[in-house]
Amino acid sequence: MSAVSTNQSLFERAQRVIPGGVNSPVRAFRAVGGTPRFIARAQGAYLWDAEGQRYIDYIGSWGPMILGHGHPAVLEAVQRAASRGLSFGAPTEAEIELAEAIITHVPSVEQVRLVSSGTEAAMSAIRLARGATGRSKLIKFEGCYHGHADALLVKAGSGLATFGHPTSAGVPPEVVQHTIVLEYNNLDALEAAFAEHGRELACVMIEPIAGNMNFVRAQLPYMKRLRELCTRHGALLVFDEVMTGFRVALGGAQSLYAAAIPGFKPDISVFGKVIGGGMPLAAFGTTRDIMRQLAPLGPVYQAGTLSGNPVATACGLATLREIAKPGFFDALGTRTRSLVDALAAAARDCGVAFSADCEGGMFGFFFQAELPQHYGAVMATDKDRFNRFFHGMLSRRVYLAPALYEAGFVSASHSEADIAATAAAAREAFKL
Ligand SMILES: *Cc1c(COP(=O)(O)O)cnc(C)c1O
């Protein structure tokens, strides 16, 4: 008899050789407790774990899988690219095509550089902003995640503005002394920070729809004022669209703000997740003028052995071609909205305080009657309530993000039947 691998036995084995048993912390289920599912395969909207259980997947690899798993055009592109060679360390035509595709859909971007992770893209964007402005300070917002580069690993505690207080061990205070952390959507704090530090600010980095504190939109007047302040003080506005890019709309979250605020655009944009279609690929882009600062043209160094990897590039390109087809985002947005509406209806019927929001294929929900506007309000959510719901859904084979501060994702493969099954599970799980 062969040994049967269960999620639990794999988790125990993994913990012996991998810290916490995982290669990225949230996968370990520490926030919700219990045993992570070890995934054996995926197709369309579904994941199958090591025990052969099928789940409706609302994580989508934390964003990339906007088409669902195993899309035939993507698989074919990956297989064709792989058969031609896995990596050359030399330029390829496909990199030009991917850069052209990104630029076509995001008018604020004239040139891009491809890298291998969102962390790398955000870190490089900051180095570029500092190099281009000759300034050191940067503003980020509490609850916004920009990958794990040292200077950005600051979430800060209480108070409106916190200076240089690292959130992770191993980050010396000197490394984050130029990082200012503000409360999201807090206009007074923003005005005060610019009044005090405006002339020393290289950039302000923001998740325009913050998906690393569930789902919180930067309000329009706030974004408008942020743009004005950056322009007036010569600080670059950096949109971290690693999650929202090619996910909330083909043109990213910036296209939504541009539609509402005449002339609006960020200075630098950071992409990842969807643009790799499930392979390690990310990018940062801006105007030709700013990009001139980057090596080999300029003095800001940035490089990568696997940057623009041909297989990852082929995967991203095939994904972008699919999502650029007419009607794609209308259909995805409608499907996601139907999920959010169905969850809200189930919560109402169960008498559970609940609010939810979505845009394109990204959604968030809260066990609060009002949508929170900043990190502190998000974290005021009843964690036990969330955890009961999470496990209630998981045991009913619906795979939601295992932490209340994570956004969820719907793919083009999710059917109305999947949404209905999810709503039926929620109707039971809300009662737990
Ligand atoms: C996921 C994410 C990152 C980090 O990307 P990695 O590829 O995990 O390094 C950065 N910024 C945002 C907004 C993200 O959602």
Side-chain angles (χ1 to χ4, degrees):
M1 201 179 99
S2 65
V4 178
S5 289
T6 61
N7 291 308
Q8 187 56 38
S9 70
L10 289 170
F11 194 36
E12 283 160 17
R13 202 174 128 208
Q15 284 173 288
R16 284 199 280 277
V17 288
I18 300 170
V22 294
N23 283 311
S24 198
V26 73
R27 297 178 196 168
F29 277 30
R30 298 286 278 233
V32 291
T35 306
R37 299 316 190 244
F38 279 68
I39 304 305
R41 68 187 177 94
Q43 183 59 48
Y46 310 116
L47 299 171
W48 283 264
D49 72 8
E51 299 172 15
Q53 292 289 353
R54 192 193 83 168
Y55 300 85
I56 304 175
D57 177 20
Y58 289 107
I59 301 184
S61 185
W62 303 93
M65 310 313 298
I66 193 166
L67 300 172
H69 300 278
H71 189 284
V74 176
L75 282 188
E76 201 206 309
V78 166
Q79 283 160 354
R80 212 174 332 116
S83 69
R84 290 197 195 116
L86 296 179
S87 186
F88 312 122
T92 59
E93 186 174 359
E95 290 161 82
I96 310 171
E97 291 179 300
L98 182 56
E100 287 169 347
I102 293 170
I103 289 161
T104 300
H105 299 308
V106 187
S108 72
V109 171
E110 294 171 356
Q111 289 198 333
V112 294
R113 164 107 354 130
L114 303 181
V115 297
S116 300
S117 74
T119 293
E120 202 185 345
M123 180 185 78
S124 304
I126 278 178
R127 187 178 305 141
L128 178 60
R130 285 171 162 166
T133 57
R135 301 171 175 183
S136 297
K137 288 195 181 1
L138 64 92
I139 288 177
K140 77 170 288 286
F141 299 92
E142 201 180 4
C144 286
Y145 177 68
H146 306 293
H148 60 90
D150 282 355
L152 295 166
L153 264 191
V154 193
K155 262 185 206 147
S158 52
L160 291 184
T162 309
F163 227 121
H165 183 71
T167 301
S168 168
V171 179
E174 308 83 73
V175 175
V176 293
Q177 65 182 327
H178 299 301
T179 306
I180 302 163
V181 182
L182 301 179
E183 189 177 73
Y184 200 76
N185 277 327
N186 182 331
L187 210 41
D188 291 342
L190 189 67
E191 299 280 359
F194 267 93
E196 196 179 344
H197 307 290
R199 286 185 316 174
E200 307 157 277
L201 279 174
C203 65
V204 177
M205 184 173 254
I206 188 167
E207 282 186 75
I209 298 174
N212 288 287
M213 50 173 157
N214 198 327
F215 188 106
V216 183
R217 295 170 191 266
Q219 292 158 358
L220 278 180
Y222 185 77
M223 189 60 86
K224 182 162 179 286
R225 186 62 182 148
L226 175 57
R227 177 66 274 181
E228 287 167 4
L229 287 167
C230 284
T231 303
R232 165 148 357 134
H233 291 86
L236 299 175
L237 178 56
V238 184
F239 260 35
D240 182 349
E241 297 229 44
V242 170
M243 193 181 291
T244 54
F246 302 91
R247 167 55 75 175
V248 299
L250 189 55
Q254 59 191 271
S255 69
L256 307 173
Y257 287 97
I261 305 169
F264 180 90
K265 56 180 180 181
D267 297 303
I268 301 180
S269 298
V270 184
F271 300 104
K273 297 192 170 117
V274 170
I275 65 162
M279 298 283 282
L281 195 148
F284 60 101
T286 175
T287 60
R288 235 172 242 112
D289 195 40
I290 296 174
M291 275 303 208
R292 246 198 304 275
Q293 298 295 322
L294 204 60
L297 301 179
V300 179
Y301 193 70
Q302 190 281 330
T305 301
L306 295 178
S307 290
N309 173 270
V311 184
T313 300
C315 184
L317 199 52
T319 301
L320 294 200
R321 286 196 176 127
E322 292 300 317
I323 70 174
K325 288 181 175 168
F328 179 89
F329 274 94
D330 287 342
L332 181 65
T334 302
R335 189 58 38 93
T336 309
R337 175 58 65 187
S338 75
L339 170 70
V340 159
D341 288 348
L343 290 176
R348 204 177 323 113
D349 293 349
C350 298
V352 171
F354 187 85
S355 56
D357 196 2
C358 66
E359 191 69 52
M362 177 173 162
F363 69 93
F365 63 86
F366 302 92
F367 288 101
Q368 308 179 25
E370 300 283 332
L371 288 171
Q373 297 299 317
H374 57 78
Y375 184 69
V378 170
M379 296 316 276
T381 289
D382 180 346
K383 290 181 191 59
D384 292 339
R385 183 95 207 55
F386 174 84
N387 291 353
R388 284 202 306 280
F389 181 70
F390 168 82
H391 279 294
M393 294 299 274
L394 190 66
S395 66
R396 288 165 181 78
R397 314 287 177 236
V398 178
Y399 190 69
L400 297 168
L404 62 82
Y405 48 82
E406 302 287 356
F409 302 99
V410 172
S411 79
S413 296
H414 287 77
S415 65
E416 272 173 40
D418 294 325
I419 304 290
T422 304
R427 233 164 252 284
E428 294 175 10
F430 278 133
K431 294 191 185 115
L432 299 173

